[in-house]
């Protein structure tokens, strides 16, 4: 059978554009294929979230399905599998299924509803969908096709560290005589997930002795980035075709050539993270209607990496950087910022804030008692960050540019950031990138030649908000901090077990307490692009007014 995998990039809610994408793919490929497969919930984009609770939106989806039946009628020998919400006619808790609608010649020849509805990390599907009964195969052109949806395949012991289910829809379909499995997905990217997907698909194909077709969504939707990487595996569990990552691609495969073996290597980690962030920026801006971005450039590595990613995502001519030296900024910071801007070809504005800061302090000295006359207290440091945030937001308001924030995950975790200052903005590009990974990204960006000046990469990290300041005056060494954060946030270890791994108990306690105390800051942060297994935001929902142990 010839199957066309349509790895496409929908915009959530834009039902009309999804229908037109389907129309275009069918016009180009229908006459050379037997079956065209689109991703999970392609009609409405994933994740649609509470749009599904709007009656008018559900009505638009019904009308879109009727249009798809009309499109299908024009190609009577070609089938389509399209992901869409469908009505649960029995009522149910939510009244909707997450479905794969199998259409041919303008008629529905089968509907497969998602069995395993994830409710962990960024997923909340039981809020919107009902689960259905046992799956069944769909007969089409001499094949018995078992259609599954995303999570339905994530049930291979040892293949990944996520949740396990008692049901295995893929195995059930194989027992019912399926000669092929098709899985439509909206599986978001995170570091290491591509290999897990590959292992899972390979195991299903090999264990059941039938080929496996996996079609994944691509593109950025809010904080989630979907990497595509759709795959076709032969019945021996060996990949026969793998589509590219982070780009749209439509490709027709022939399951009769399933013994074909390709040289498949998972993406390089840092290249994948970089490409995910670039796509996340590009799609967030495009889908929200922004053409240009503004970034505060400090002369440090975080803002440099953010600038480089933005320039790649939307073009250098669409990025404006603003450097705002204070009385505590070193001359090198401005010089390095200039060099980076020249390397990237971006517009650089220089706006000193020393006088504005002095006016603030002069005014506040009449109202606020200082603890010490010599030290630059925290509130005074934060004033500088907030002045900078206000200046950047002025550019954003005046010109309609999106302000990209530059704080990394390590800083966000322990609150080493200023609310309404460097946290002000519309998209937190590297808020899920630990500091140690930021250096890896810088190396990746510089792989073909120096983009980020070597001096920026090698300098000691500093907020430069008081004389002689370095990050390690306040924080543990970043390698240690990131290790502890990974164990606590991503792997769920308590303080005692983290300390048993060789970390200083006092440091571990300080880190965990800092994470807990700064929940209120992160609740007010802009959305951040997810690239690790546990990102701040919708994937981590902790209370603020709470007391709990380490």
């Amino acid at each position: 059978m010839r199957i066309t995998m349509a790895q496409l990039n929908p915009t959530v809610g834009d039902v009309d554009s999804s229908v037109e994408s389907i129309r275009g793919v069918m016009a180009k490929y229908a006459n050379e294929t037997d079956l065209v497969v689109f991703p999970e919930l392609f009609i409405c984009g994933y994740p649609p979230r509470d749009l599904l609770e709007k009656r008018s939106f559900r009505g638009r989806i019904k009308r879109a399905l009727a249009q798809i039946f009309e499109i299908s009628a024009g190609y009577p020998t070609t089938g389509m599998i399209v992901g869409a919400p469908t009505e649960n006619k029995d009522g149910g808790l939510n009244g909707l299924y997450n479905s794969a609608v199998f259409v041919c010649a303008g008629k529905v020849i089968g509907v497969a509803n998602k069995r395993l509805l994830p409710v962990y990390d960024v997923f909340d599907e039981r809020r919107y969908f009902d689960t259905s009964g046992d799956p069944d195969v769909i007969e089409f052109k001499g094949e018995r096709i078992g259609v599954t949806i995303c999570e339905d395949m994530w049930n291979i012991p040892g293949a990944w560290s996520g949740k396990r289910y008692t049901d295995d829809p893929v195995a059930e379909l194989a027992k019912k005589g399926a000669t092929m499995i098709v899985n439509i997905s909206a599986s978001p990217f995170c570091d290491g997930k591509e290999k897990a997907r590959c292992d899972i698909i390979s195991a299903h194909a090999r264990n059941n002795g039938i080929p496996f077709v996996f079609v994944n969504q691509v593109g950025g939707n809010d904080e989630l980035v979907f990497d595509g990487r759709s795959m076709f595996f032969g019945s021996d569990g060996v990949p026969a075709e793998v589509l590219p990552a982070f780009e749209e691609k439509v490709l027709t495969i022939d399951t009769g050539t399933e013994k074909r073996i390709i040289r498949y290597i998972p993406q390089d980690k840092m290249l994948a993270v970089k490409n995910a962030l670039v796509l996340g920026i590009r799609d967030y801006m495009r889908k929200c209607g922004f053409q240009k971005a503004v970034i505060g450039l400090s002369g440090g590595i975080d803002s440099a990496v953010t600038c480089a990613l933005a320039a790649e995502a939307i073009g250098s001519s669409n990025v404006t950087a603003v450097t705002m030296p204070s009385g505590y900024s070193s001359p090198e910071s401005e010089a390095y910022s200039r060099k980076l801007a020249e390397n990237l070809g971006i517009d650089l504005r220089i706006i000193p804030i020393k006088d504005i800061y002095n006016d603030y302090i002069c005014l506040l000295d009449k109202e606020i008692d200082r603890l010490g006359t010599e030290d630059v207290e925290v509130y005074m440091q934060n004033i500088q960050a907030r002045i900078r945030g206000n200046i950047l937001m002025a550019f954003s308001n005046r010109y309609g540019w999106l302000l990209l924030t530059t704080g990394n995950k390590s800083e966000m975790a322990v609150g080493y950031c200023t609310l309404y200052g460097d946290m002000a903005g519309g998209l937190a590009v590297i808020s899920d990138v630990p500091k140690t990974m930021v250096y890896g990204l810088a190396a990746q960006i510089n792989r073909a030649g120096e983009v980020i000046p070597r001096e920026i990469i090698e300098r000691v990290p500093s907020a430069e908000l008081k004389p002689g300041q370095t990050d390690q005056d306040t924080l543990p060494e970043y390698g240690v901090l990131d290790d502890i954060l990974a164990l606590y946030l991503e792997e769920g270890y308590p303080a005692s077990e983290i300390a048993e791994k060789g970390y200083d108990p006092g440091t571990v306690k300080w880190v965990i307490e800092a994470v807990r105390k700064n929940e209120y800051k992160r609740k007010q942060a802009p959305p951040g692009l997810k690239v690790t297994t546990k990102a701040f935001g919708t994937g981590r929902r902790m209370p603020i007014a709470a007391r709990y142990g380490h």
Side-chain angles (χ1 to χ4, degrees):
M1 177 179 288
R2 292 177 62 80
I3 298 178
T4 299
M5 300 188 291
Q7 177 176 291
L8 300 177
N9 182 351
T11 297
V12 171
D14 195 349
V15 174
D16 293 341
S17 288
S18 293
V19 171
E20 289 310 304
S21 292
I22 291 170
R23 191 187 307 278
V25 169
M26 293 298 289
K28 186 173 181 179
Y29 293 92
N31 292 325
E32 65 177 51
T33 193
D34 297 302
L35 177 64
V36 184
V37 182
F38 296 91
E40 177 183 11
L41 292 183
F42 182 71
I43 288 296
C44 59
Y46 190 97
R49 295 184 171 138
D50 283 8
L51 283 176
L52 293 172
E53 296 180 350
K54 296 174 68 70
R55 294 180 65 182
S56 60
F57 188 69
R58 293 189 185 195
R60 287 172 57 198
I61 292 169
K62 284 185 178 180
R63 290 191 292 273
L65 285 170
Q67 290 178 282
I68 288 168
F69 300 155
E70 292 176 7
I71 294 169
S72 170
Y75 306 97
T77 63
T78 304
M80 275 196 288
I81 297 177
V82 181
T86 64
E87 181 182 359
N88 179 357
K89 295 180 180 179
D90 294 330
L93 182 63
N94 298 299
L96 284 180
Y97 291 126
N98 180 344
S99 301
V101 182
F102 202 134
V103 185
C104 188
K107 297 180 180 179
V108 176
I109 62 171
V111 176
N113 299 320
K114 193 170 185 176
R115 290 275 306 284
L116 308 182
L117 301 176
V119 288
Y120 59 89
D121 192 36
V122 298
F123 306 107
D124 203 4
E125 291 200 24
R126 287 184 196 161
R127 177 182 174 94
Y128 308 106
F129 299 112
D130 300 324
T131 190
S132 64
D134 294 340
D136 209 347
V137 296
I138 299 171
E139 297 193 19
F140 182 70
K141 292 193 173 184
E143 296 279 3
R144 293 172 57 81
I145 301 175
V147 180
T148 59
I149 303 174
C150 202
E151 192 80 2
D152 290 342
M153 77 176 190
W154 286 82
N155 210 22
I156 295 292
W160 74 307
S161 59
K163 305 294 182 181
R164 286 275 291 124
Y165 300 92
T166 55
D167 296 337
D168 185 346
V170 173
E172 292 174 28
L173 287 164
K175 289 178 182 177
K176 290 186 175 183
T179 57
M180 176 192 308
I181 298 294
V182 173
N183 181 277
I184 63 171
S185 281
S187 178
F189 169 83
C190 70
D191 176 34
K193 195 170 186 181
E194 180 188 340
K195 184 179 184 306
R197 281 197 216 110
C198 180
D199 291 345
I200 285 169
I201 295 169
S202 176
H204 279 306
R206 186 176 60 254
N207 292 346
N208 297 300
I210 54 178
F212 196 112
V213 178
F214 166 77
V215 178
N216 192 27
Q217 175 177 296
V218 71
N221 287 329
D222 295 348
E223 73 273 32
L224 301 182
V225 181
F226 300 84
D227 54 326
R229 213 59 165 155
S230 303
M231 305 177 182
F232 169 54
F233 277 62
S235 56
D236 54 2
V238 176
E241 195 65 67
V242 179
L243 272 59
F246 304 111
E247 63 180 82
E248 289 190 308
K249 181 72 173 179
V250 180
L251 182 71
T252 299
I253 60 170
D254 188 341
T255 61
T257 61
E258 66 169 85
K259 295 300 181 183
R260 173 177 179 239
I261 297 175
I262 63 167
R263 185 173 180 269
Y264 165 58
I265 301 173
Q267 304 164 83
D268 172 79
K269 173 179 177 175
M270 280 303 146
L271 179 60
V273 170
K274 181 191 79 95
N275 288 341
L277 294 171
V278 167
L279 179 57
I281 295 168
R282 182 184 299 133
D283 270 5
Y284 187 86
M285 293 186 65
R286 177 176 65 86
K287 294 177 181 181
C288 292
F290 291 97
Q291 282 78 47
K292 297 191 175 186
V294 60
I295 300 168
L297 198 55
S298 68
I301 193 169
D302 295 328
S303 60
V305 165
T306 303
C307 263
L309 294 169
E312 182 174 343
I314 60 174
S316 298
S317 63
N318 294 314
V319 178
T320 295
V322 185
T323 188
M324 295 160 281
S326 74
Y328 305 114
S329 301
S330 66
E332 291 82 8
S333 292
E334 184 177 324
Y336 299 160
S337 295
R338 286 183 183 274
K339 188 173 181 181
L340 175 70
E342 290 171 2
N343 289 352
L344 291 172
I346 63 175
D347 180 30
L348 177 66
R349 312 286 179 91
I350 300 173
I351 304 176
I353 66 166
K354 181 179 178 181
D355 291 344
I356 304 174
Y357 171 71
N358 288 338
D359 287 343
Y360 259 95
I361 297 304
C362 193
L363 174 67
L364 290 173
D365 275 348
K366 300 174 184 178
E367 305 293 338
I368 296 178
D369 295 329
R370 294 200 205 182
L371 293 174
T373 57
E374 300 298 324
D375 191 31
V376 182
E377 296 178 37
V378 171
Y379 83 91
M380 299 165 69
Q381 296 178 43
N382 288 340
I383 285 170
Q384 296 168 68
R386 291 187 176 118
I387 290 169
R388 290 175 172 133
N390 280 332
I391 290 171
L392 292 167
M393 281 305 303
F395 279 92
S396 176
N397 290 162
R398 171 62 181 84
Y399 297 112
W401 299 342
L402 178 67
L403 174 53
L404 303 179
T405 69
T406 62
N408 61 62
K409 186 175 187 175
S410 311
E411 295 169 344
M412 292 289 291
V414 298
Y416 195 64
C417 47
T418 302
L419 202 56
Y420 322 123
D422 57 329
M423 291 178 66
L427 180 67
V429 174
I430 60 170
S431 64
D432 195 34
V433 180
K435 185 73 169 189
T436 47
M437 188 185 286
V438 173
Y439 285 97
L441 279 173
Q444 177 63 46
I445 290 166
N446 282 358
R447 178 168 288 185
E450 185 179 271
V451 175
I452 299 174
R454 174 180 51 81
E455 298 91 338
I456 289 178
I457 296 172
E458 293 178 352
R459 74 186 310 203
V460 176
S462 171
E464 292 193 325
L465 298 175
K466 67 177 184 177
Q469 185 180 36
T470 70
D471 289 4
Q472 266 58 65
D473 295 339
T474 305
L475 306 178
E477 189 272 321
Y478 275 119
V480 172
L481 175 59
D482 286 353
D483 286 349
I484 294 172
L485 289 172
L487 290 167
Y488 179 62
L489 296 173
E490 297 178 34
E491 299 188 39
Y493 283 100
S496 59
E497 292 184 32
I498 297 173
E500 288 173 2
K501 293 181 180 292
Y503 298 97
D504 174 67
T507 301
V508 173
K509 182 179 179 181
W510 181 90
V511 170
I512 293 176
E513 190 65 20
V515 171
R516 186 190 64 78
K517 288 193 300 186
N518 286 284
E519 292 295 343
Y520 78 100
K521 284 189 180 182
R522 293 187 293 273
K523 289 286 186 182
Q524 301 176 70
L529 300 175
K530 173 181 167 63
V531 295
T532 72
T533 56
K534 180 64 70 174
F536 295 122
T538 57
R540 187 175 186 275
R541 310 173 196 183
M542 298 296 288
I544 297 173
R547 294 192 183 101
Y548 51 90
H550 299 117

